[in-house]
Amino acid sequence: MQTRNRWGHRVVVTGVGLVTPVGNDVPTTWNALLEGKSGAGPITQFDVTEDFDVRFACEVKGFDPEQYLDRKEVRRTDRFAQFALAVAQQAVEDAGLTGQFDRLNRDRIGVIIGSGIGGIRTFEEQARIMLERGPQRISPFFVPMFIADIASGLVSMRYGLRGPNFATVSACASSAHAVATAFRIVQRGEADMVIAGGAEATVTPLTMAGFAAMKALSRRNEDPQRASRPFDAERDGFVLGEGAGALVVESLESALDRGANILGEIIGVGQTADAYHLTAPAPEGAGAQLAMRAALEDAGCVPEDVDYINAHGTSTPANDLNETLAVKAVFGDHAYRLIMGSTKSMTGHLLGAAGAVEAIISLLVCANGEIPPTINFSTPDPECDLDYAHNRRVKRDVEVALSNSFGFGGHNVCIAVRRWSGD
């Protein structure tokens, strides 16, 4: 396989950070995924009454924001931004950047953190205060706590990074767009390094009620841990999750100059639109097909080079069928030789944070030669007949992996990553 680079700079990942429903750091999350642990359970973050059609989610557990922020900062930041600061710190430490920023050109280091919804918890709290106590009681920190771009701004301020800085907002593709954009910026030479990722904290009354009202969520209230069942014939919707992921995306030259450890390489991205429907995927995953083809072309790969796809795999009837059809259309017979797994079976759907989290998982698959299972399979779907690693962990050398992310509104992103071999 020969990869090509249209812009002149190879792009590698030198640090990662995770906060997920199955672990508050990378090692814990990775081990839980390999062991097939579900992060789902009854909601604990607010009082759930019988009026709620869905009473469970994949919550982050035991997260202490004071590990990463002082008490004043905790009071002035929404939970999603706390997650973002946590994973950014983890990624910076993993990349060996602690204490190094003074020796680097901070004008050429950016931050791009996506979020589909932003500070919805803060929004709900302040809306309630407005209705019950009036406008004079609204917090002066309401707006900066709520806006989706604040996570990216806070990370840049923490480290004094003056390069490109903004948020990407494209529903469930938000952080995949952040990683894809960071890749392009570094590839073109506009920055040496970008901290890219996404954060979401949407286990709130309004969000749960809203997704339930549109019939997007599984309603297995009596069996939460088995509710997320991608590609199973009895799938009935996704399980809402929360969390964050961050990657230090860096030019190969920069990484080598500072002697960084390289986790893997980003070799291509594809970004498309369905132009079809508010929430439903285009028939036969037409937009997803375009995104995967574009990522392969950008990477200089052929379908046979791909060993693993981290599927969008939401456990909804429409997504799983159409993503399967899209993979068959793009990969032909090779679709039956690769593994197309969904880690959302364990993490739930982290909405705007999902793309970054799953790009990290794809890099870890390449680096470790192990593929996490897609759990909760019980009933075959004859239309979903690929190898999804159902209920089994797979040891396999993976040279190239794709990570798919698709968002309401028809946003599609595919990120191609490659195992780092030092060449």
PDB file of all heavy atoms in Angstrom, residues 292 306-312 323 327 331 338-342 362 371 398 400-404 414:
ATOM      1  N   MET A 292     -16.616   7.501   2.726  1.00  0.00           N
ATOM      2  CA  MET A 292     -15.607   6.443   2.785  1.00  0.00           C
ATOM      3  C   MET A 292     -14.750   6.422   1.529  1.00  0.00           C
ATOM      4  O   MET A 292     -13.523   6.268   1.598  1.00  0.00           O
ATOM      5  CB  MET A 292     -16.281   5.087   3.028  1.00  0.00           C
ATOM      6  CG  MET A 292     -16.797   4.922   4.443  1.00  0.00           C
ATOM      7  SD  MET A 292     -17.447   3.263   4.797  1.00  0.00           S
ATOM      8  CE  MET A 292     -19.057   3.377   4.031  1.00  0.00           C
ATOM      9  N   VAL A 306      -7.944  -1.887   3.982  1.00  0.00           N
ATOM     10  CA  VAL A 306      -8.620  -1.612   5.247  1.00  0.00           C
ATOM     11  C   VAL A 306      -8.919  -2.922   5.970  1.00  0.00           C
ATOM     12  O   VAL A 306      -9.494  -3.846   5.409  1.00  0.00           O
ATOM     13  CB  VAL A 306      -9.918  -0.820   5.011  1.00  0.00           C
ATOM     14  CG1 VAL A 306     -10.666  -0.611   6.333  1.00  0.00           C
ATOM     15  CG2 VAL A 306      -9.605   0.533   4.361  1.00  0.00           C
ATOM     16  N   ASP A 307      -8.530  -2.973   7.228  1.00  0.00           N
ATOM     17  CA  ASP A 307      -8.732  -4.171   8.051  1.00  0.00           C
ATOM     18  C   ASP A 307      -9.877  -4.027   9.051  1.00  0.00           C
ATOM     19  O   ASP A 307     -10.446  -5.020   9.495  1.00  0.00           O
ATOM     20  CB  ASP A 307      -7.451  -4.491   8.837  1.00  0.00           C
ATOM     21  CG  ASP A 307      -6.248  -4.653   7.923  1.00  0.00           C
ATOM     22  OD1 ASP A 307      -6.270  -5.546   7.079  1.00  0.00           O
ATOM     23  OD2 ASP A 307      -5.290  -3.849   8.059  1.00  0.00           O
ATOM     24  N   TYR A 308     -10.197  -2.784   9.426  1.00  0.00           N
ATOM     25  CA  TYR A 308     -11.171  -2.550  10.497  1.00  0.00           C
ATOM     26  C   TYR A 308     -11.887  -1.241  10.247  1.00  0.00           C
ATOM     27  O   TYR A 308     -11.284  -0.255   9.813  1.00  0.00           O
ATOM     28  CB  TYR A 308     -10.453  -2.494  11.844  1.00  0.00           C
ATOM     29  CG  TYR A 308     -11.294  -2.013  13.013  1.00  0.00           C
ATOM     30  CD1 TYR A 308     -12.329  -2.785  13.529  1.00  0.00           C
ATOM     31  CD2 TYR A 308     -11.033  -0.780  13.620  1.00  0.00           C
ATOM     32  CE1 TYR A 308     -13.092  -2.351  14.608  1.00  0.00           C
ATOM     33  CE2 TYR A 308     -11.779  -0.328  14.699  1.00  0.00           C
ATOM     34  CZ  TYR A 308     -12.808  -1.117  15.192  1.00  0.00           C
ATOM     35  OH  TYR A 308     -13.555  -0.687  16.257  1.00  0.00           O
ATOM     36  N   ILE A 309     -13.190  -1.250  10.501  1.00  0.00           N
ATOM     37  CA  ILE A 309     -13.984  -0.029  10.480  1.00  0.00           C
ATOM     38  C   ILE A 309     -14.641   0.125  11.846  1.00  0.00           C
ATOM     39  O   ILE A 309     -15.373  -0.771  12.288  1.00  0.00           O
ATOM     40  CB  ILE A 309     -15.077  -0.062   9.389  1.00  0.00           C
ATOM     41  CG1 ILE A 309     -14.452  -0.186   7.994  1.00  0.00           C
ATOM     42  CG2 ILE A 309     -15.944   1.196   9.469  1.00  0.00           C
ATOM     43  CD1 ILE A 309     -15.477  -0.382   6.879  1.00  0.00           C
ATOM     44  N   ASN A 310     -14.374   1.245  12.514  1.00  0.00           N
ATOM     45  CA  ASN A 310     -15.151   1.568  13.709  1.00  0.00           C
ATOM     46  C   ASN A 310     -16.426   2.228  13.195  1.00  0.00           C
ATOM     47  O   ASN A 310     -16.429   3.388  12.781  1.00  0.00           O
ATOM     48  CB  ASN A 310     -14.394   2.497  14.653  1.00  0.00           C
ATOM     49  CG  ASN A 310     -15.131   2.677  15.961  1.00  0.00           C
ATOM     50  OD1 ASN A 310     -16.209   3.275  15.996  1.00  0.00           O
ATOM     51  ND2 ASN A 310     -14.562   2.174  17.036  1.00  0.00           N
ATOM     52  N   ALA A 311     -17.495   1.441  13.193  1.00  0.00           N
ATOM     53  CA  ALA A 311     -18.744   1.886  12.594  1.00  0.00           C
ATOM     54  C   ALA A 311     -19.401   2.990  13.409  1.00  0.00           C
ATOM     55  O   ALA A 311     -19.236   3.067  14.620  1.00  0.00           O
ATOM     56  CB  ALA A 311     -19.699   0.697  12.484  1.00  0.00           C
ATOM     57  N   HIS A 312     -20.203   3.796  12.721  1.00  0.00           N
ATOM     58  CA  HIS A 312     -21.072   4.718  13.462  1.00  0.00           C
ATOM     59  C   HIS A 312     -21.988   3.875  14.342  1.00  0.00           C
ATOM     60  O   HIS A 312     -22.167   4.191  15.507  1.00  0.00           O
ATOM     61  CB  HIS A 312     -21.855   5.590  12.491  1.00  0.00           C
ATOM     62  CG  HIS A 312     -22.599   6.697  13.148  1.00  0.00           C
ATOM     63  ND1 HIS A 312     -21.992   7.624  13.962  1.00  0.00           N
ATOM     64  CD2 HIS A 312     -23.923   7.025  13.132  1.00  0.00           C
ATOM     65  CE1 HIS A 312     -22.895   8.480  14.420  1.00  0.00           C
ATOM     66  NE2 HIS A 312     -24.080   8.134  13.932  1.00  0.00           N
ATOM     67  N   GLU A 323     -25.634   1.764   6.963  1.00  0.00           N
ATOM     68  CA  GLU A 323     -24.167   1.745   7.044  1.00  0.00           C
ATOM     69  C   GLU A 323     -23.629   0.425   6.507  1.00  0.00           C
ATOM     70  O   GLU A 323     -22.595   0.394   5.818  1.00  0.00           O
ATOM     71  CB  GLU A 323     -23.704   1.980   8.474  1.00  0.00           C
ATOM     72  CG  GLU A 323     -22.201   2.178   8.594  1.00  0.00           C
ATOM     73  CD  GLU A 323     -21.742   2.610   9.970  1.00  0.00           C
ATOM     74  OE1 GLU A 323     -22.556   2.608  10.921  1.00  0.00           O
ATOM     75  OE2 GLU A 323     -20.540   2.956  10.117  1.00  0.00           O
ATOM     76  N   VAL A 327     -21.049   0.062   3.325  1.00  0.00           N
ATOM     77  CA  VAL A 327     -19.765  -0.650   3.364  1.00  0.00           C
ATOM     78  C   VAL A 327     -19.719  -1.710   2.264  1.00  0.00           C
ATOM     79  O   VAL A 327     -18.699  -1.881   1.587  1.00  0.00           O
ATOM     80  CB  VAL A 327     -19.537  -1.261   4.761  1.00  0.00           C
ATOM     81  CG1 VAL A 327     -18.376  -2.247   4.752  1.00  0.00           C
ATOM     82  CG2 VAL A 327     -19.277  -0.146   5.769  1.00  0.00           C
ATOM     83  N   PHE A 331     -16.780  -1.567  -0.470  1.00  0.00           N
ATOM     84  CA  PHE A 331     -15.727  -2.566  -0.301  1.00  0.00           C
ATOM     85  C   PHE A 331     -15.963  -3.861  -1.071  1.00  0.00           C
ATOM     86  O   PHE A 331     -15.056  -4.695  -1.165  1.00  0.00           O
ATOM     87  CB  PHE A 331     -15.519  -2.872   1.189  1.00  0.00           C
ATOM     88  CG  PHE A 331     -14.902  -1.740   1.947  1.00  0.00           C
ATOM     89  CD1 PHE A 331     -15.689  -0.749   2.518  1.00  0.00           C
ATOM     90  CD2 PHE A 331     -13.524  -1.633   2.062  1.00  0.00           C
ATOM     91  CE1 PHE A 331     -15.127   0.312   3.201  1.00  0.00           C
ATOM     92  CE2 PHE A 331     -12.950  -0.574   2.749  1.00  0.00           C
ATOM     93  CZ  PHE A 331     -13.749   0.400   3.314  1.00  0.00           C
ATOM     94  N   LEU A 338     -13.149  -7.793   6.257  1.00  0.00           N
ATOM     95  CA  LEU A 338     -12.776  -6.852   7.308  1.00  0.00           C
ATOM     96  C   LEU A 338     -13.733  -7.000   8.479  1.00  0.00           C
ATOM     97  O   LEU A 338     -14.735  -7.702   8.411  1.00  0.00           O
ATOM     98  CB  LEU A 338     -12.751  -5.421   6.777  1.00  0.00           C
ATOM     99  CG  LEU A 338     -14.002  -4.834   6.106  1.00  0.00           C
ATOM    100  CD1 LEU A 338     -15.093  -4.455   7.072  1.00  0.00           C
ATOM    101  CD2 LEU A 338     -13.611  -3.611   5.265  1.00  0.00           C
ATOM    102  N   ILE A 339     -13.389  -6.329   9.596  1.00  0.00           N
ATOM    103  CA  ILE A 339     -14.278  -6.290  10.758  1.00  0.00           C
ATOM    104  C   ILE A 339     -14.837  -4.885  10.892  1.00  0.00           C
ATOM    105  O   ILE A 339     -14.113  -3.891  10.821  1.00  0.00           O
ATOM    106  CB  ILE A 339     -13.547  -6.712  12.045  1.00  0.00           C
ATOM    107  CG1 ILE A 339     -13.241  -8.207  11.994  1.00  0.00           C
ATOM    108  CG2 ILE A 339     -14.384  -6.380  13.282  1.00  0.00           C
ATOM    109  CD1 ILE A 339     -12.520  -8.736  13.205  1.00  0.00           C
ATOM    110  N   MET A 340     -16.148  -4.828  11.064  1.00  0.00           N
ATOM    111  CA  MET A 340     -16.855  -3.556  11.201  1.00  0.00           C
ATOM    112  C   MET A 340     -17.546  -3.564  12.561  1.00  0.00           C
ATOM    113  O   MET A 340     -18.643  -4.084  12.715  1.00  0.00           O
ATOM    114  CB  MET A 340     -17.871  -3.426  10.066  1.00  0.00           C
ATOM    115  CG  MET A 340     -18.766  -2.216  10.113  1.00  0.00           C
ATOM    116  SD  MET A 340     -19.879  -2.309   8.691  1.00  0.00           S
ATOM    117  CE  MET A 340     -21.046  -1.020   9.092  1.00  0.00           C
ATOM    118  N   GLY A 341     -16.875  -3.055  13.577  1.00  0.00           N
ATOM    119  CA  GLY A 341     -17.383  -3.138  14.936  1.00  0.00           C
ATOM    120  C   GLY A 341     -17.955  -1.828  15.426  1.00  0.00           C
ATOM    121  O   GLY A 341     -17.620  -0.753  14.918  1.00  0.00           O
ATOM    122  N   SER A 342     -18.811  -1.909  16.422  1.00  0.00           N
ATOM    123  CA  SER A 342     -19.376  -0.699  17.029  1.00  0.00           C
ATOM    124  C   SER A 342     -19.110  -0.682  18.531  1.00  0.00           C
ATOM    125  O   SER A 342     -19.715  -1.444  19.295  1.00  0.00           O
ATOM    126  CB  SER A 342     -20.880  -0.615  16.790  1.00  0.00           C
ATOM    127  OG  SER A 342     -21.419   0.499  17.489  1.00  0.00           O
ATOM    128  N   SER A 362      -9.869   3.697  17.165  1.00  0.00           N
ATOM    129  CA  SER A 362      -9.323   3.153  15.919  1.00  0.00           C
ATOM    130  C   SER A 362      -7.798   3.169  15.926  1.00  0.00           C
ATOM    131  O   SER A 362      -7.156   2.212  15.473  1.00  0.00           O
ATOM    132  CB  SER A 362      -9.862   3.949  14.728  1.00  0.00           C
ATOM    133  OG  SER A 362     -11.274   3.867  14.666  1.00  0.00           O
ATOM    134  N   ILE A 371      -9.173  -5.907  18.546  1.00  0.00           N
ATOM    135  CA  ILE A 371     -10.429  -5.251  18.190  1.00  0.00           C
ATOM    136  C   ILE A 371     -11.454  -5.532  19.277  1.00  0.00           C
ATOM    137  O   ILE A 371     -11.721  -6.697  19.590  1.00  0.00           O
ATOM    138  CB  ILE A 371     -10.939  -5.759  16.828  1.00  0.00           C
ATOM    139  CG1 ILE A 371      -9.947  -5.372  15.717  1.00  0.00           C
ATOM    140  CG2 ILE A 371     -12.330  -5.200  16.524  1.00  0.00           C
ATOM    141  CD1 ILE A 371     -10.262  -5.987  14.371  1.00  0.00           C
ATOM    142  N   VAL A 398      -3.882  -4.858  12.412  1.00  0.00           N
ATOM    143  CA  VAL A 398      -4.655  -3.872  11.664  1.00  0.00           C
ATOM    144  C   VAL A 398      -3.701  -2.785  11.189  1.00  0.00           C
ATOM    145  O   VAL A 398      -3.142  -2.041  12.000  1.00  0.00           O
ATOM    146  CB  VAL A 398      -5.785  -3.276  12.519  1.00  0.00           C
ATOM    147  CG1 VAL A 398      -6.497  -2.161  11.771  1.00  0.00           C
ATOM    148  CG2 VAL A 398      -6.776  -4.371  12.920  1.00  0.00           C
ATOM    149  N   VAL A 400      -4.589  -0.499   8.539  1.00  0.00           N
ATOM    150  CA  VAL A 400      -5.399   0.690   8.241  1.00  0.00           C
ATOM    151  C   VAL A 400      -6.801   0.494   8.806  1.00  0.00           C
ATOM    152  O   VAL A 400      -7.399  -0.579   8.653  1.00  0.00           O
ATOM    153  CB  VAL A 400      -5.483   0.939   6.722  1.00  0.00           C
ATOM    154  CG1 VAL A 400      -6.458   2.084   6.409  1.00  0.00           C
ATOM    155  CG2 VAL A 400      -4.105   1.277   6.153  1.00  0.00           C
ATOM    156  N   ALA A 401      -7.315   1.523   9.456  1.00  0.00           N
ATOM    157  CA  ALA A 401      -8.678   1.505  10.002  1.00  0.00           C
ATOM    158  C   ALA A 401      -9.408   2.766   9.575  1.00  0.00           C
ATOM    159  O   ALA A 401      -8.792   3.821   9.359  1.00  0.00           O
ATOM    160  CB  ALA A 401      -8.649   1.400  11.524  1.00  0.00           C
ATOM    161  N   LEU A 402     -10.719   2.641   9.452  1.00  0.00           N
ATOM    162  CA  LEU A 402     -11.583   3.791   9.203  1.00  0.00           C
ATOM    163  C   LEU A 402     -12.478   4.016  10.416  1.00  0.00           C
ATOM    164  O   LEU A 402     -12.886   3.061  11.078  1.00  0.00           O
ATOM    165  CB  LEU A 402     -12.472   3.567   7.981  1.00  0.00           C
ATOM    166  CG  LEU A 402     -11.813   3.278   6.639  1.00  0.00           C
ATOM    167  CD1 LEU A 402     -12.895   3.179   5.552  1.00  0.00           C
ATOM    168  CD2 LEU A 402     -10.792   4.340   6.274  1.00  0.00           C
ATOM    169  N   SER A 403     -12.793   5.270  10.681  1.00  0.00           N
ATOM    170  CA  SER A 403     -13.739   5.627  11.739  1.00  0.00           C
ATOM    171  C   SER A 403     -14.854   6.450  11.113  1.00  0.00           C
ATOM    172  O   SER A 403     -14.605   7.516  10.542  1.00  0.00           O
ATOM    173  CB  SER A 403     -13.034   6.424  12.838  1.00  0.00           C
ATOM    174  OG  SER A 403     -13.935   6.752  13.876  1.00  0.00           O
ATOM    175  N   ASN A 404     -16.084   5.934  11.196  1.00  0.00           N
ATOM    176  CA  ASN A 404     -17.236   6.591  10.578  1.00  0.00           C
ATOM    177  C   ASN A 404     -18.045   7.378  11.602  1.00  0.00           C
ATOM    178  O   ASN A 404     -18.292   6.888  12.710  1.00  0.00           O
ATOM    179  CB  ASN A 404     -18.173   5.548   9.948  1.00  0.00           C
ATOM    180  CG  ASN A 404     -17.654   5.019   8.633  1.00  0.00           C
ATOM    181  OD1 ASN A 404     -16.822   5.643   7.971  1.00  0.00           O
ATOM    182  ND2 ASN A 404     -18.166   3.875   8.225  1.00  0.00           N
ATOM    183  N   CYS A 414     -15.543  10.445   7.494  1.00  0.00           N
ATOM    184  CA  CYS A 414     -14.779   9.205   7.614  1.00  0.00           C
ATOM    185  C   CYS A 414     -13.311   9.575   7.781  1.00  0.00           C
ATOM    186  O   CYS A 414     -12.763  10.359   6.991  1.00  0.00           O
ATOM    187  CB  CYS A 414     -14.974   8.332   6.375  1.00  0.00           C
ATOM    188  SG  CYS A 414     -14.044   6.779   6.423  1.00  0.00           S
TER     189      CYS A 414
END
